[in-house]
Amino acid sequence: SYVLTQPPSVSLAPGETANIPCGGINIATKDVHWYQQKPGQAPMVVIYHDSNRPSGIPERFSGSNSGNTATLTVGRVEAGDEADYYCQVWDSSGDHPAFGGGTKLTVL
Amino acid sequence: QITLKESGPTLVKPTQTLTLTCVLSGFSVNTSGLGVGWVRQPPGRALEWLALIYWDDEKRYNPSLSRRLAITQDTSKNQVVLTMTNMDPVDSGTYFCARSNFRAWFDPWGQGTLVTVSS
C-alpha cells in the first residue's frame, strides 16, 4: 500500500504561514487532496487535485505538489484554522484511497 | 443540497456484526462517476478508509480489513450499507460515510456515527 507521511503537529503564531507537508514516493505523480477536521466535526475538503480550492474555502488555503512532497499552505493563520489536516491520494497499485496520518495545526 | 447521514447501533458486543446505513440526499447512488465510501476514526486517532462502492456496483475494500467488510447499495432506498463482522473493542470509533468522485476525493461527508464495542 502507498504510504503518506505527515508530521504529527505544527504550531505557529497568528498571522504566520503554516506549511503542512505530506510525503510519499513520487507523490508528484498523484493527485493530492487535503481535508480539515475540527474537533467533533466531520472532515471537509479544503484542497483537491493538488491546488484547487472548493467554493467557500478562503484564498489563504493553497496547495502544491512536487517530487516526494505535497504541501498544504495556510497563510496568515488565525485561531479558527486550528484543526487536524489530512492528505489523501488514490493508491493506483492497490486501486483504493489512502490517507495520511494527519497533522494537528495549533495556533499559539 | 447534498447530504449523507449515517445510522446504526451505538453499542455492539465483541464478535458481533456491525451494520451501518448511509442515507443519501441530493444525489443518487447510481449517478455515473460517483461513489460512496466509509471512513472510520478511533478516538483521538487518524482517519482510516474502509470501503468504497461506485455507481456501477464496483467495490473496493481496505486490504487489511477486507475479510470482515461488505458494502452494498440499495438504489430503491438511495442508501449504502456497510457490514463489519467479528467486531472488537479496537473497532470502536466514529464511522463516516462520504461521497466520492471516481478515484478522487471525498466530499461531502456525513456527520458520523459513534460506535462502541464493549461487552
Side-chain angles (χ1 to χ4, degrees):
Chain A
S1 293
Y2 190 79
V3 176
L4 294 171
T5 302
Q6 297 183 243
S9 63
V10 169
S11 301
L12 63 171
E16 293 186 326
T17 296
N19 291 299
I20 300 174
C22 174
I25 297 174
N26 293 325
I27 197 173
T29 63
K30 301 181 182 300
D31 290 326
V32 180
H33 319 296
W34 291 92
Y35 303 89
Q36 177 193 69
Q37 186 183 31
K38 295 183 178 180
Q41 298 184 15
M44 176 179 68
V45 64
V46 292
I47 293 289
Y48 65 95
H49 282 174
D50 295 342
S51 59
N52 294 276
R53 265 179 296 105
S55 60
I57 301 301
E59 292 184 6
R60 301 185 296 106
F61 287 81
S62 61
S64 62
N65 189 6
S66 178
N68 293 316
T69 304
T71 303
L72 172 69
T73 298
V74 185
R76 302 184 305 281
V77 297
E78 48 194 55
D81 298 328
E82 279 204 341
D84 293 323
Y85 291 87
Y86 295 89
C87 56
Q88 179 245 314
V89 301
W90 186 266
D91 177 355
S92 53
S93 63
D95 202 13
H96 58 71
F99 284 95
T103 297
K104 182 176 182 60
L105 174 63
T106 300
V107 181
L108 302 170
Chain B
Q1 183 184 7
I2 295 169
T3 62
L4 301 91
K5 186 172 177 62
E6 308 89 345
S7 63
T10 58
L11 179 66
V12 296
K13 290 180 167 44
T15 75
Q16 286 187 336
T17 294
L18 172 68
T19 299
L20 297 173
T21 301
C22 177
V23 177
L24 318 179
S25 180
F27 76 104
S28 296
V29 67
N30 56 3
T31 300
S32 181
L34 295 180
V36 174
W38 286 92
V39 177
R40 72 176 179 180
Q41 185 172 40
R45 301 191 64 181
L47 302 174
E48 180 182 30
W49 170 74
L50 299 176
L52 187 56
I53 189 166
Y54 285 115
W55 78 98
D56 58 357
D57 211 36
E58 181 181 336
K59 302 169 186 177
R60 293 288 180 269
Y61 296 104
N62 184 317
S64 64
L65 295 167
S66 61
R67 293 185 179 183
R68 300 173 53 204
L69 295 172
I71 188 169
T72 60
Q73 58 185 355
D74 186 331
T75 55
S76 65
K77 296 181 179 179
N78 206 33
Q79 65 186 30
V80 172
V81 175
L82 179 76
T83 59
M84 178 179 288
T85 61
N86 194 25
M87 293 293 285
D88 183 271
V90 300
D91 296 314
S92 297
T94 300
Y95 286 70
F96 299 97
C97 62
R99 189 182 71 166
S100 172
N101 295 280
F102 188 64
R103 292 179 175 169
W105 69 98
F106 294 93
D107 177 64
W109 296 57
Q111 64 187 20
T113 186
L114 180 62
V115 178
T116 301
V117 184
S118 175
S119 55

